[in-house]
Amino acid sequence: MCCHICKLPGRVMGIRVLRFSLVVILVLLLVAGALTALLPSVKEDKMLMLRREIKSQGKSTMDSFTLIMQTYNRTDLLLKLLNHYQAVPNLHKVIVVWNNIGEKAPDELWNSLGPHPIPVIFKQQTANRMRNRLQVFPELETSAVLMVDDDTLISTPDLAFAFSVWQQFPDQIVGFVPRKHVSTSSGIYSYGGFEMQAPGSGNGDQYSMVLIGASFFNSKYLEFFQRQPAAVHALIDDTQNCDDIAMNFIIAKHIGKTSGIFVKPVNMDNLEKETNSGYSGMWHRAEHALQRSYCINKLVNIYGSMPLKYSNIMISQFGFPYANYKRKI
Amino acid sequence: MCCHICKLPGRVMGIRVLRFSLVVILVLLLVAGALTALLPSVKEDKMLMLRREIKSQGKSTMDSFTLIMQTYNRTDLLLKLLNHYQAVPNLHKVIVVWNNIGEKAPDELWNSLGPHPIPVIFKQQTANRMRNRLQVFPELETSAVLMVDDDTLISTPDLAFAFSVWQQFPDQIVGFVPRKHVSTSSGIYSYGGFEMQAPGSGNGDQYSMVLIGASFFNSKYLEFFQRQPAAVHALIDDTQNCDDIAMNFIIAKHIGKTSGIFVKPVNMDNLEKETNSGYSGMWHRAEHALQRSYCINKLVNIYGSMPLKYSNIMISQFGFPYANYKRKI
């Protein structure tokens, strides 16, 4: 067969055509060769880009967290706390929710005292709302939110450990302040802490909420919160309270188990007594505690059920403080 | 149409046939009625039986546990401990693994001092082997095993709480005694507790094993153990040691995460000093600790890798002892 074909050009077309054909074939081979040489490098660049993306995503999705701190006018406490929090390992960014609509946020002061370890973004709000801190901030890139009240100092070891616990239980609020709801024979619920009747018949106490003002939780829950019925948002706006109770309701309902895990803090302080601003936290209002019981009953009404579940699991860091697992005799 | 049919019998067949037809219809109706009366009750019986089955299964699968206690010859301790353990809530049954092949198990003494809250079965062994307690006992009906050394007294609140924790983490060993392996620059591992170098660079300590001699674990792991390579069983037989280290290897390998969860005991005692038998626990042997390091390296060799993973999670019961979540100032 080969001979037959070889003979054809020689016989039918002539040497000029034969030469032309050979040139064409050579050119084609060269082009093909050139293309093959190009192809792998394009792929490599793509692989490299993909790897970089995965790495940066890895750094900013599960391996680091965003601090969201809402503040009204205790700027002295805020800046003191930011000096501490800005240096916490695995912190990706800080979002300060500036609720003082009459006053400018201290961007300039902050910048003048730079450079800073991580970006801090001051978000000037248009209305002074408690639930401002639960917006879906476009600047937020991490899977985890660290939400801290503007008068709460949590030590770095506590934060590092609680974050590692959150990474193992990313669908729950992992935090330092446990609270509970109490059922009464009338069916009306009440809100409180350890001073209240322990539920159940066993030993010890239980908690059914972990307050978000000193906690890690999954940033997707901010979207969940935004999607809640208007009645929930209205309740929070009316009381300027209970956003954390609502979050616990939402999460418990979503995961079908206890909304949070309590991590016992080793070194956590409330600095509110140290402020010179003349203002004190919202919880000093006379109606604050009663409001929270009120909120629980309203939320049960809105959702049609009580989704909160009790837990008695308290997590501590093994061996920190030193030998903390040994029995005190 | 109805008239047409009605007229037919009257016209064509005659009153006798008509009467007969009516009787037949009545009889059929009665039979149907009788069947209908029977049917629901048969269903109800089945439902009742099913509910009973579910209940008894529920009681014996996840809701209760089986105590497996292996003993050689500290019968005074054994009986003292059984007096305590037999009354623990949610205990389904006790299996005493009687390793004293020369002596009869104290069945008669036990029975003479009845009645007892739950069944206690003395399993006379044919050879004095440490791994006898890891057999797949046919008498075992529960998903959970409570394994306790014959000199270990664990209080009821501790057991009740640890069992509730196991129910939330049924694939891990939930127990009261944490240990760890330590890597050295030579690549040789060593076994130990808190006295050893904490792994990693963070705060506190870590553990990578929870000893089975004071723990809850899933009874399916007994089958897993039986299926291990002969070399593993031989290692345990040669050392009369390390069955617990092997179990941690098996479980860590199987679940791909830390094999156990440490629950800090509130009231757990070792009674070995109280025995009059003249015998002391195996851990008093001179070579005991070295054996355990030896076992770790042998097991890594057998399995081809180090599957143990570190954890620093320590669980306590919220509010027990009272106000244990408050900061000590």
PDB file of all heavy atoms in Angstrom, chain A residues 178-197:
ATOM      1  N   PRO A 178     -22.454  31.046  79.435  1.00  0.00           N
ATOM      2  CA  PRO A 178     -23.630  30.177  79.290  1.00  0.00           C
ATOM      3  C   PRO A 178     -24.829  30.769  80.021  1.00  0.00           C
ATOM      4  O   PRO A 178     -24.685  31.350  81.108  1.00  0.00           O
ATOM      5  CB  PRO A 178     -23.173  28.897  79.987  1.00  0.00           C
ATOM      6  CG  PRO A 178     -22.236  29.363  81.065  1.00  0.00           C
ATOM      7  CD  PRO A 178     -21.623  30.650  80.593  1.00  0.00           C
ATOM      8  N   ARG A 179     -26.006  30.588  79.415  1.00  0.00           N
ATOM      9  CA  ARG A 179     -27.232  30.994  80.070  1.00  0.00           C
ATOM     10  C   ARG A 179     -28.279  29.932  79.813  1.00  0.00           C
ATOM     11  O   ARG A 179     -28.073  29.033  79.002  1.00  0.00           O
ATOM     12  CB  ARG A 179     -27.718  32.351  79.532  1.00  0.00           C
ATOM     13  CG  ARG A 179     -26.805  33.517  79.888  1.00  0.00           C
ATOM     14  CD  ARG A 179     -26.916  33.881  81.368  1.00  0.00           C
ATOM     15  NE  ARG A 179     -26.123  35.070  81.695  1.00  0.00           N
ATOM     16  CZ  ARG A 179     -24.869  35.032  82.156  1.00  0.00           C
ATOM     17  NH1 ARG A 179     -24.272  33.859  82.357  1.00  0.00           N
ATOM     18  NH2 ARG A 179     -24.224  36.146  82.431  1.00  0.00           N
ATOM     19  N   LYS A 180     -29.413  30.047  80.531  1.00  0.00           N
ATOM     20  CA  LYS A 180     -30.440  29.053  80.268  1.00  0.00           C
ATOM     21  C   LYS A 180     -31.820  29.657  80.322  1.00  0.00           C
ATOM     22  O   LYS A 180     -32.019  30.781  80.792  1.00  0.00           O
ATOM     23  CB  LYS A 180     -30.346  27.892  81.261  1.00  0.00           C
ATOM     24  CG  LYS A 180     -30.627  28.236  82.711  1.00  0.00           C
ATOM     25  CD  LYS A 180     -30.660  26.924  83.525  1.00  0.00           C
ATOM     26  CE  LYS A 180     -30.986  27.150  84.986  1.00  0.00           C
ATOM     27  NZ  LYS A 180     -29.787  27.466  85.778  1.00  0.00           N
ATOM     28  N   HIS A 181     -32.776  28.906  79.798  1.00  0.00           N
ATOM     29  CA  HIS A 181     -34.177  29.229  79.954  1.00  0.00           C
ATOM     30  C   HIS A 181     -34.731  28.236  80.967  1.00  0.00           C
ATOM     31  O   HIS A 181     -34.222  27.116  81.106  1.00  0.00           O
ATOM     32  CB  HIS A 181     -34.917  29.114  78.612  1.00  0.00           C
ATOM     33  CG  HIS A 181     -35.076  27.700  78.133  1.00  0.00           C
ATOM     34  ND1 HIS A 181     -34.032  26.968  77.598  1.00  0.00           N
ATOM     35  CD2 HIS A 181     -36.151  26.885  78.136  1.00  0.00           C
ATOM     36  CE1 HIS A 181     -34.458  25.768  77.262  1.00  0.00           C
ATOM     37  NE2 HIS A 181     -35.733  25.680  77.578  1.00  0.00           N
ATOM     38  N   VAL A 182     -35.737  28.677  81.680  1.00  0.00           N
ATOM     39  CA  VAL A 182     -36.343  27.843  82.708  1.00  0.00           C
ATOM     40  C   VAL A 182     -37.825  27.714  82.401  1.00  0.00           C
ATOM     41  O   VAL A 182     -38.481  28.698  82.066  1.00  0.00           O
ATOM     42  CB  VAL A 182     -36.134  28.488  84.103  1.00  0.00           C
ATOM     43  CG1 VAL A 182     -37.026  27.844  85.130  1.00  0.00           C
ATOM     44  CG2 VAL A 182     -34.683  28.364  84.530  1.00  0.00           C
ATOM     45  N   SER A 183     -38.305  26.475  82.444  1.00  0.00           N
ATOM     46  CA  SER A 183     -39.745  26.251  82.263  1.00  0.00           C
ATOM     47  C   SER A 183     -40.451  26.376  83.597  1.00  0.00           C
ATOM     48  O   SER A 183     -39.906  25.968  84.620  1.00  0.00           O
ATOM     49  CB  SER A 183     -40.005  24.829  81.751  1.00  0.00           C
ATOM     50  OG  SER A 183     -39.579  24.690  80.441  1.00  0.00           O
ATOM     51  N   THR A 184     -41.621  26.931  83.570  1.00  0.00           N
ATOM     52  CA  THR A 184     -42.421  26.962  84.800  1.00  0.00           C
ATOM     53  C   THR A 184     -43.710  26.198  84.556  1.00  0.00           C
ATOM     54  O   THR A 184     -44.047  25.901  83.412  1.00  0.00           O
ATOM     55  CB  THR A 184     -42.740  28.411  85.205  1.00  0.00           C
ATOM     56  OG1 THR A 184     -43.464  29.025  84.127  1.00  0.00           O
ATOM     57  CG2 THR A 184     -41.460  29.189  85.460  1.00  0.00           C
ATOM     58  N   SER A 185     -44.418  25.892  85.630  1.00  0.00           N
ATOM     59  CA  SER A 185     -45.619  25.063  85.483  1.00  0.00           C
ATOM     60  C   SER A 185     -46.681  25.753  84.640  1.00  0.00           C
ATOM     61  O   SER A 185     -47.542  25.101  84.056  1.00  0.00           O
ATOM     62  CB  SER A 185     -46.192  24.713  86.859  1.00  0.00           C
ATOM     63  OG  SER A 185     -46.235  25.864  87.679  1.00  0.00           O
ATOM     64  N   SER A 186     -46.613  27.084  84.548  1.00  0.00           N
ATOM     65  CA  SER A 186     -47.591  27.804  83.733  1.00  0.00           C
ATOM     66  C   SER A 186     -47.255  27.719  82.250  1.00  0.00           C
ATOM     67  O   SER A 186     -48.041  28.124  81.411  1.00  0.00           O
ATOM     68  CB  SER A 186     -47.597  29.276  84.136  1.00  0.00           C
ATOM     69  OG  SER A 186     -46.290  29.798  83.936  1.00  0.00           O
ATOM     70  N   GLY A 187     -46.067  27.202  81.934  1.00  0.00           N
ATOM     71  CA  GLY A 187     -45.670  27.147  80.521  1.00  0.00           C
ATOM     72  C   GLY A 187     -44.949  28.399  80.074  1.00  0.00           C
ATOM     73  O   GLY A 187     -44.457  28.475  78.952  1.00  0.00           O
ATOM     74  N   ILE A 188     -44.886  29.406  80.938  1.00  0.00           N
ATOM     75  CA  ILE A 188     -44.166  30.630  80.607  1.00  0.00           C
ATOM     76  C   ILE A 188     -42.687  30.420  80.935  1.00  0.00           C
ATOM     77  O   ILE A 188     -42.349  29.883  81.990  1.00  0.00           O
ATOM     78  CB  ILE A 188     -44.705  31.836  81.429  1.00  0.00           C
ATOM     79  CG1 ILE A 188     -46.229  31.926  81.312  1.00  0.00           C
ATOM     80  CG2 ILE A 188     -44.033  33.129  80.994  1.00  0.00           C
ATOM     81  CD1 ILE A 188     -46.734  32.289  79.942  1.00  0.00           C
ATOM     82  N   TYR A 189     -41.841  30.859  80.040  1.00  0.00           N
ATOM     83  CA  TYR A 189     -40.414  30.680  80.241  1.00  0.00           C
ATOM     84  C   TYR A 189     -39.790  31.886  80.923  1.00  0.00           C
ATOM     85  O   TYR A 189     -40.287  33.002  80.838  1.00  0.00           O
ATOM     86  CB  TYR A 189     -39.703  30.457  78.903  1.00  0.00           C
ATOM     87  CG  TYR A 189     -40.140  29.208  78.194  1.00  0.00           C
ATOM     88  CD1 TYR A 189     -41.063  29.257  77.153  1.00  0.00           C
ATOM     89  CD2 TYR A 189     -39.647  27.956  78.568  1.00  0.00           C
ATOM     90  CE1 TYR A 189     -41.473  28.106  76.496  1.00  0.00           C
ATOM     91  CE2 TYR A 189     -40.050  26.799  77.914  1.00  0.00           C
ATOM     92  CZ  TYR A 189     -40.969  26.890  76.885  1.00  0.00           C
ATOM     93  OH  TYR A 189     -41.370  25.741  76.240  1.00  0.00           O
ATOM     94  N   SER A 190     -38.673  31.616  81.597  1.00  0.00           N
ATOM     95  CA  SER A 190     -37.912  32.690  82.190  1.00  0.00           C
ATOM     96  C   SER A 190     -36.456  32.517  81.795  1.00  0.00           C
ATOM     97  O   SER A 190     -35.996  31.400  81.550  1.00  0.00           O
ATOM     98  CB  SER A 190     -38.070  32.675  83.716  1.00  0.00           C
ATOM     99  OG  SER A 190     -37.986  33.974  84.237  1.00  0.00           O
ATOM    100  N   TYR A 191     -35.733  33.623  81.755  1.00  0.00           N
ATOM    101  CA  TYR A 191     -34.333  33.600  81.298  1.00  0.00           C
ATOM    102  C   TYR A 191     -33.405  33.860  82.473  1.00  0.00           C
ATOM    103  O   TYR A 191     -33.685  34.724  83.306  1.00  0.00           O
ATOM    104  CB  TYR A 191     -34.142  34.689  80.244  1.00  0.00           C
ATOM    105  CG  TYR A 191     -32.688  35.007  79.922  1.00  0.00           C
ATOM    106  CD1 TYR A 191     -32.038  34.381  78.863  1.00  0.00           C
ATOM    107  CD2 TYR A 191     -31.970  35.941  80.674  1.00  0.00           C
ATOM    108  CE1 TYR A 191     -30.716  34.678  78.554  1.00  0.00           C
ATOM    109  CE2 TYR A 191     -30.639  36.238  80.377  1.00  0.00           C
ATOM    110  CZ  TYR A 191     -30.023  35.607  79.321  1.00  0.00           C
ATOM    111  OH  TYR A 191     -28.715  35.891  79.032  1.00  0.00           O
ATOM    112  N   GLY A 192     -32.291  33.148  82.515  1.00  0.00           N
ATOM    113  CA  GLY A 192     -31.346  33.441  83.591  1.00  0.00           C
ATOM    114  C   GLY A 192     -30.088  32.608  83.524  1.00  0.00           C
ATOM    115  O   GLY A 192     -29.778  31.978  82.515  1.00  0.00           O
ATOM    116  N   GLY A 193     -29.359  32.631  84.612  1.00  0.00           N
ATOM    117  CA  GLY A 193     -28.083  31.923  84.686  1.00  0.00           C
ATOM    118  C   GLY A 193     -28.086  30.908  85.798  1.00  0.00           C
ATOM    119  O   GLY A 193     -29.098  30.275  86.098  1.00  0.00           O
ATOM    120  N   PHE A 194     -26.931  30.770  86.456  1.00  0.00           N
ATOM    121  CA  PHE A 194     -26.760  29.726  87.451  1.00  0.00           C
ATOM    122  C   PHE A 194     -27.645  29.915  88.683  1.00  0.00           C
ATOM    123  O   PHE A 194     -27.894  28.974  89.423  1.00  0.00           O
ATOM    124  CB  PHE A 194     -25.293  29.669  87.887  1.00  0.00           C
ATOM    125  CG  PHE A 194     -24.836  30.943  88.546  1.00  0.00           C
ATOM    126  CD1 PHE A 194     -24.950  31.109  89.922  1.00  0.00           C
ATOM    127  CD2 PHE A 194     -24.323  31.990  87.798  1.00  0.00           C
ATOM    128  CE1 PHE A 194     -24.544  32.281  90.526  1.00  0.00           C
ATOM    129  CE2 PHE A 194     -23.913  33.169  88.396  1.00  0.00           C
ATOM    130  CZ  PHE A 194     -24.024  33.327  89.775  1.00  0.00           C
ATOM    131  N   GLU A 195     -28.104  31.146  88.881  1.00  0.00           N
ATOM    132  CA  GLU A 195     -28.912  31.414  90.081  1.00  0.00           C
ATOM    133  C   GLU A 195     -30.288  30.762  89.975  1.00  0.00           C
ATOM    134  O   GLU A 195     -30.992  30.615  90.971  1.00  0.00           O
ATOM    135  CB  GLU A 195     -29.065  32.924  90.289  1.00  0.00           C
ATOM    136  CG  GLU A 195     -29.966  33.637  89.285  1.00  0.00           C
ATOM    137  CD  GLU A 195     -29.333  33.816  87.901  1.00  0.00           C
ATOM    138  OE1 GLU A 195     -28.160  33.437  87.728  1.00  0.00           O
ATOM    139  OE2 GLU A 195     -30.027  34.311  86.991  1.00  0.00           O
ATOM    140  N   MET A 196     -30.625  30.338  88.756  1.00  0.00           N
ATOM    141  CA  MET A 196     -31.961  29.787  88.533  1.00  0.00           C
ATOM    142  C   MET A 196     -31.992  28.284  88.755  1.00  0.00           C
ATOM    143  O   MET A 196     -30.952  27.615  88.729  1.00  0.00           O
ATOM    144  CB  MET A 196     -32.405  30.107  87.113  1.00  0.00           C
ATOM    145  CG  MET A 196     -32.734  31.571  86.940  1.00  0.00           C
ATOM    146  SD  MET A 196     -33.828  31.795  85.564  1.00  0.00           S
ATOM    147  CE  MET A 196     -34.631  33.311  86.025  1.00  0.00           C
ATOM    148  N   GLN A 197     -33.180  27.779  88.931  1.00  0.00           N
ATOM    149  CA  GLN A 197     -33.407  26.355  89.130  1.00  0.00           C
ATOM    150  C   GLN A 197     -32.765  25.551  88.002  1.00  0.00           C
ATOM    151  O   GLN A 197     -32.975  25.829  86.823  1.00  0.00           O
ATOM    152  CB  GLN A 197     -34.913  26.087  89.151  1.00  0.00           C
ATOM    153  CG  GLN A 197     -35.311  24.615  89.155  1.00  0.00           C
ATOM    154  CD  GLN A 197     -35.168  23.993  90.525  1.00  0.00           C
ATOM    155  OE1 GLN A 197     -35.479  24.617  91.517  1.00  0.00           O
ATOM    156  NE2 GLN A 197     -34.691  22.768  90.575  1.00  0.00           N
TER     157      GLN A 197
END
